[in-house]
Amino acid sequence: MAIAYQVWGSGPVDLVWAPGTASHLDLEWEMPLRALFFEKLGAFCRVIKFDKRGTGLSDRPIRMATLEERADDIRAVIDAEKVERASLFGVSEGGSMTSLFAALNPDRVRSLIVWGTQARWCTSDDHPWGMSSEAYDQLIKDMAENGPSDEYIRGAGVGLGRTVDQTVVDAFARHMRAAASPSAHAAYEAMNRDIDIRNILPTISVPTLVMNRTQDPVASVEAARDMARRIPQAEMKEYPGDTHLCRQGYGYDFG
């Protein structure tokens, strides 16, 4: 299984960027504000960014990877770069993946940052945040049949928000179609529906920062607060805004 990754920047810290459900290493650089954000990261740290197996430029097997297998993609890229300990930055479902890796491999992790992440993505009796099982079933069905729709991109899928310009939605749709096939997107959403990392959060022993927007349409800020409470000595930081992205509107930019 070949995992595609890129390395840029310089600095005293190796930072591994773990994406959400699907990514594409090359096309992300064609989004100006994302490219600017990644260039800024590279000004003070050495950034390692990868496409998870089944997405982007990485190998695309028929069977989608489990969360544990996706987390092991982190080990693959840091081993390839001979990095002993890295800081991890996980976005959305990538935060679930980096949290699992940090819990299982504390000797390989300097610190953990998660943005827009929930310990569990599907609602349950003891976790009221997220999508219902029925809503997830419909989302997965729509994705498999139609690919990334405007509603998926603005709403519970990508979470760009209702007010973002249509040209931005169209750009994300092109990116997503290149990153994975409709069936692969649907398979990953089915996997994400079953994620529940609450039991491993108390075992995370590295310095951890949990970040979330107060009106994130994908990851509830209440769920993020609950996640932070479960991680020993984790810091919680909240930002205003109604998008799932690190930038209000498009790209990445904290604040």
Side-chain angles (χ1 to χ4, degrees):
M1 177 64 60
I3 304 300
Y5 71 94
Q6 295 174 345
V7 182
W8 72 94
S10 60
V13 175
D14 290 302
L15 176 69
V16 176
W17 179 274
T21 303
S23 61
H24 194 293
L25 288 172
D26 285 348
L27 294 186
E28 292 226 334
W29 291 102
E30 297 181 7
M31 297 180 175
L33 291 176
R34 284 195 175 197
L36 178 61
F37 175 79
F38 288 132
E39 288 170 358
K40 288 182 177 180
L41 275 184
F44 63 87
C45 60
R46 181 169 174 261
V47 185
I48 304 172
K49 186 171 180 290
F50 67 98
D51 288 333
K52 297 192 299 293
R53 64 184 72 189
T55 71
L57 302 179
S58 292
D59 281 350
R60 301 193 182 189
I62 296 174
R63 183 185 66 82
M64 289 297 102
T66 65
L67 182 64
E68 291 77 10
E69 289 169 334
R70 282 176 271 174
D72 208 49
D73 291 349
I74 297 172
R75 186 197 311 278
V77 297
I78 62 177
D79 284 351
E81 284 298 304
K82 298 179 172 57
V83 174
E84 291 187 9
R85 297 176 71 228
S87 293
L88 307 182
F89 197 136
V91 178
S92 193
E93 175 262 324
S96 306
M97 180 173 60
T98 51
S99 296
L100 179 62
F101 186 86
L104 298 177
N105 305 276
D107 58 318
R108 305 298 304 274
V109 180
R110 293 182 55 165
S111 60
L112 173 65
I113 305 169
V114 296
W115 174 278
T117 299
Q118 298 189 173
R120 179 184 171 95
W121 293 97
C122 189
T123 58
S124 64
D125 291 342
D126 57 354
H127 193 273
W129 313 288
M131 295 176 62
S132 68
S133 180
E134 293 76 16
Y136 248 121
D137 288 344
Q138 186 60 50
L139 181 148
I140 292 165
K141 180 176 182 290
D142 289 345
M143 177 61 80
E145 293 178 352
N146 305 308
S149 65
D150 279 17
E151 175 58 30
Y152 178 90
I153 294 171
R154 289 184 182 274
V158 178
L160 289 190
R162 299 298 176 185
T163 61
V164 70
D165 191 84
Q166 185 63 37
T167 59
V168 178
V169 175
D170 293 342
F172 267 80
R174 289 192 297 273
H175 174 271
M176 292 187 67
R177 288 193 295 267
S181 67
S183 61
H185 277 297
Y188 266 124
E189 288 291 2
M191 292 276 192
N192 294 344
R193 176 186 56 194
D194 297 332
I195 287 175
D196 189 342
I197 58 170
R198 287 177 293 175
N199 63 323
I200 62 95
L201 296 179
T203 70
I204 295 176
S205 58
V206 301
T208 301
L209 174 63
V210 178
M211 298 187 288
N212 217 93
R213 291 203 184 275
T214 54
Q215 295 176 286
D216 188 321
V218 178
S220 162
V221 69
E222 291 290 346
R225 293 169 187 159
D226 178 76
M227 182 175 177
R229 285 192 293 267
R230 295 172 183 271
I231 301 173
Q233 300 182 327
E235 179 182 353
M236 175 73 194
K237 191 169 181 62
E238 298 177 21
Y239 293 86
D242 59 357
T243 180
H244 188 46
L245 300 186
C246 302
R247 181 179 178 88
Q248 182 69 18
Y250 187 36
Y252 295 112
D253 186 0
F254 301 111

